[in-house]
Amino acid sequence: MSSTELRHTALDALHRSLGATMTDFAGWDMPLRYGSERDEHVAVRTKAGLFDLSHMGEITVTGAEAAAFLNFALVGNIASVGVGRARYTMICRADGGILDDLIVYRLAETEYMVVANASNAQVVLDALTERSAGFDAEVRDDRDAYALIAVQGPESPGILKSLTDADLDGLKYYAGLPGTVAGVPALIARTGYTGEDGFELFVKPEHAVELWQALTKAGEGVGLVPCGLSCRDTLRLEAGMPLYGHELTTSLTPFDAGLGRVVKFEKEGDFVGREALSAAASRAQENPPRVLVGLIAEGRRVPRAGYAVVADGAVIGEVTSGAPSPTLGKPIAMAYVDAAHAAPGTTGVGVDIRGSHEPYEVVALPFYKRQK
């Protein structure tokens, strides 16, 4: 047996019974698609989609100094997050490089749940454990304690309302509340990675199949379909949301990624990377780094991560993510480009696709924004 045996979520047999095409994603055997990824994408934009996200890394932080510890370990002001709310933030190295982007939920006065990307869960767990030294706070690996099911799309509030008496209308974006969904105890969070309204449901793994089946039944009349990781990627790309390993890496600081707003210098006390990030912030003001922009193809050829962005025969940037956009009907990409070519509407920009310079239009992100 290989030591890199793939991990399986609690929904593994169910995915296979639905005919899913499975793929290795960050050491997990995950559904890539069930049928047409385009149809799955369109369902989320117009109706609803159901996702298994049980590969995400949940880490629980508890203790009298949990808030102070997270303020030290992460770049955001976690102490200011109210109970029942969530915040997007990052964990950086001492040199300012991004280790991961995270969502932190404050579950109680002294209890938080940090959700890391599957590919970085161990790195984040190790960093938090190391950084907790000297704080009255405990870091617990809860990756096996949760299954995570997301229902996303304009029909998702109606679907969920039919299965819970939790106050969904009062649940704001980036908030979470404990409740019961189809008889299953869950943390119901109004979060997602698709650009649509939707919910992420954290439940015990032994309840995952029952909950998935209840959601499927509740969504039958309104076009809910199971969705794989492939359409999750095109949905987040259209919504201009960064993906770790593409738009975010250890070689970039949040300021290089255009996400300096997540770094809160005004919070009390020191935090890991403060000095390096302060220098990065000053540098960014004096000498703007490359800017993350959107690119829309004039032709049909699809750009991929790592392709060079060119203008006047010179390389001015690099594609970080690219795919055909079902919503726009054209290939799109996110790319870091020199500030001089970053303004929306900049002409003469192309992507080097196997030696041919294909013309692209520079646009502001996101490509797609839902109508409220």
Side-chain angles (χ1 to χ4, degrees), residues 156-340:
S156 57
I159 292 168
L160 207 53
K161 271 181 195 170
S162 72
L163 297 173
T164 183
D165 56 8
D167 177 19
L168 297 186
D169 291 333
L171 188 64
K172 296 185 170 75
Y173 187 50
Y174 267 74
L177 86 172
T180 304
V181 182
V184 168
L187 171 68
I188 304 166
R190 201 164 205 152
T191 43
Y193 196 48
T194 61
E196 297 300 333
D197 192 10
F199 302 87
E200 294 183 321
L201 308 170
F202 295 85
V203 298
K204 287 183 173 170
E206 57 264 34
H207 294 148
V209 170
E210 181 189 342
L211 179 59
W212 180 282
Q213 288 171 335
L215 288 161
T216 299
K217 197 166 178 353
E220 263 171 8
V222 292
L224 173 86
V225 301
C227 293
L229 292 180
S230 188
C231 83
R232 191 167 183 251
D233 193 47
T234 51
L235 289 159
R236 72 92 196 165
L237 177 55
E238 287 183 351
M241 294 175 166
L243 174 63
Y244 196 87
H246 290 256
E247 288 71 42
L248 310 173
T249 67
T250 48
S251 62
L252 297 170
T253 72
F255 294 95
D256 298 320
L259 291 164
R261 67 178 189 292
V262 305
V263 181
K264 304 299 180 191
F265 292 115
E266 69 277 12
K267 65 180 173 177
E268 275 180 43
D270 196 16
F271 62 89
V272 177
R274 181 190 269 273
E275 204 175 313
L277 290 167
S278 180
S282 308
R283 254 196 331 273
Q285 278 183 321
E286 287 160 30
N287 182 18
R290 281 184 165 173
V291 180
L292 189 64
V293 299
L295 298 174
I296 299 179
E298 291 178 22
R300 309 300 313 161
R301 298 185 72 184
V302 179
R304 297 294 180 197
Y307 286 11
V309 182
V310 291
D312 304 323
V315 173
I316 57 145
E318 187 178 303
V319 170
T320 52
S321 296
S325 163
T327 306
L328 276 65
K330 296 175 179 178
I332 59 171
M334 286 202 273
Y336 281 110
V337 302
D338 294 344

Side-chain angles (χ1 to χ4, degrees), residues 4-367:
T4 53
E5 185 78 7
L6 286 181
R7 297 181 72 174
H8 299 273
T9 78
L11 294 160
D12 185 72
L14 198 147
H15 298 315
R16 291 168 199 280
S17 74
L18 292 170
T21 300
M22 306 297 284
T23 187
D24 173 359
F25 185 83
W28 290 83
D29 208 10
M30 297 296 292
L32 187 63
R33 70 181 76 82
Y34 297 86
S36 149
E37 52 206 47
R38 187 182 185 285
D39 290 351
E40 291 171 23
H41 179 112
V42 172
V44 176
R45 285 276 177 261
T46 59
K47 298 182 178 84
L50 193 57
F51 295 84
D52 179 8
L53 305 179
S54 304
H55 61 312
M56 300 294 281
E58 296 88 5
I59 300 161
T60 303
V61 177
T62 54
E65 293 184 323
F69 156 59
L70 287 170
N71 262 13
F72 168 74
L74 310 177
V75 300
N77 188 351
I78 308 305
S80 69
V81 178
V83 173
R85 298 307 303 262
R87 184 156 298 165
Y88 176 78
T89 187
M90 293 183 185
I91 182 166
C92 290
R93 301 192 305 196
D95 67 1
I98 303 166
L99 282 173
D100 200 13
D101 61 336
L102 311 163
I103 294 180
V104 179
Y105 298 88
R106 189 169 197 167
L107 304 180
E109 196 58 39
T110 59
E111 183 183 3
Y112 295 82
M113 181 168 66
V114 177
V115 181
N117 285 297
S119 54
N120 295 328
Q122 191 63 48
V123 168
V124 173
L125 178 68
D126 292 346
L128 288 176
T129 303
E130 190 183 316
R131 293 173 189 188
S132 67
F135 287 95
D136 180 5
E138 185 198 344
V139 176
R140 188 171 74 232
D141 179 1
D142 267 350
R143 283 177 288 182
D144 293 335
Y146 291 103
L148 177 55
I149 295 174
V151 54
Q152 300 275 304
E155 297 287 352
S156 57
I159 292 168
L160 207 53
K161 271 181 195 170
S162 72
L163 297 173
T164 183
D165 56 8
D167 177 19
L168 297 186
D169 291 333
L171 188 64
K172 296 185 170 75
Y173 187 50
Y174 267 74
L177 86 172
T180 304
V181 182
V184 168
L187 171 68
I188 304 166
R190 201 164 205 152
T191 43
Y193 196 48
T194 61
E196 297 300 333
D197 192 10
F199 302 87
E200 294 183 321
L201 308 170
F202 295 85
V203 298
K204 287 183 173 170
E206 57 264 34
H207 294 148
V209 170
E210 181 189 342
L211 179 59
W212 180 282
Q213 288 171 335
L215 288 161
T216 299
K217 197 166 178 353
E220 263 171 8
V222 292
L224 173 86
V225 301
C227 293
L229 292 180
S230 188
C231 83
R232 191 167 183 251
D233 193 47
T234 51
L235 289 159
R236 72 92 196 165
L237 177 55
E238 287 183 351
M241 294 175 166
L243 174 63
Y244 196 87
H246 290 256
E247 288 71 42
L248 310 173
T249 67
T250 48
S251 62
L252 297 170
T253 72
F255 294 95
D256 298 320
L259 291 164
R261 67 178 189 292
V262 305
V263 181
K264 304 299 180 191
F265 292 115
E266 69 277 12
K267 65 180 173 177
E268 275 180 43
D270 196 16
F271 62 89
V272 177
R274 181 190 269 273
E275 204 175 313
L277 290 167
S278 180
S282 308
R283 254 196 331 273
Q285 278 183 321
E286 287 160 30
N287 182 18
R290 281 184 165 173
V291 180
L292 189 64
V293 299
L295 298 174
I296 299 179
E298 291 178 22
R300 309 300 313 161
R301 298 185 72 184
V302 179
R304 297 294 180 197
Y307 286 11
V309 182
V310 291
D312 304 323
V315 173
I316 57 145
E318 187 178 303
V319 170
T320 52
S321 296
S325 163
T327 306
L328 276 65
K330 296 175 179 178
I332 59 171
M334 286 202 273
Y336 281 110
V337 302
D338 294 344
H341 294 87
T346 300
T347 54
V349 171
V351 174
D352 186 339
I353 301 182
R354 297 191 187 86
S356 161
H357 290 188
E358 301 288 328
Y360 275 74
E361 180 194 350
V362 178
V363 298
L365 292 168
F367 298 97

